[in-house]
Amino acid sequence: MRPPAFRGARARQRGVTAIEYALIASLIAVAVIGGVQTLGSEVSNTFGTVSTAVSGATNN
């Protein structure tokens, strides 16, 4: 039989592990969101440049 101090140790360890995984997942989500926003801005700028070039070429 386990001593009383160790009875809930495994359950507490599982809870701590779940919290750690949740923190890791949230950090990954923040990194992905930041990357998508940066990439979106760059793609938008590229389309703007292409649109301007095409518009200038068709007006001549």
Side-chain angles (χ1 to χ4, degrees):
M1 184 165 194
R2 292 185 187 147
F6 295 110
R7 286 187 184 155
R10 185 169 301 277
R12 282 192 299 271
Q13 181 63 34
R14 277 190 235 137
V16 169
T17 302
I19 291 170
E20 290 170 348
Y21 282 132
L23 287 172
I24 291 169
S26 64
L27 288 173
I28 290 171
V30 167
V32 167
I33 290 169
V36 167
Q37 286 179 340
T38 301
L39 183 63
S41 297
E42 291 178 15
V43 169
S44 178
N45 290 339
T46 301
F47 277 121
T49 303
V50 170
S51 173
T52 302
V54 169
S55 180
T58 58
N59 289 336
N60 289 333

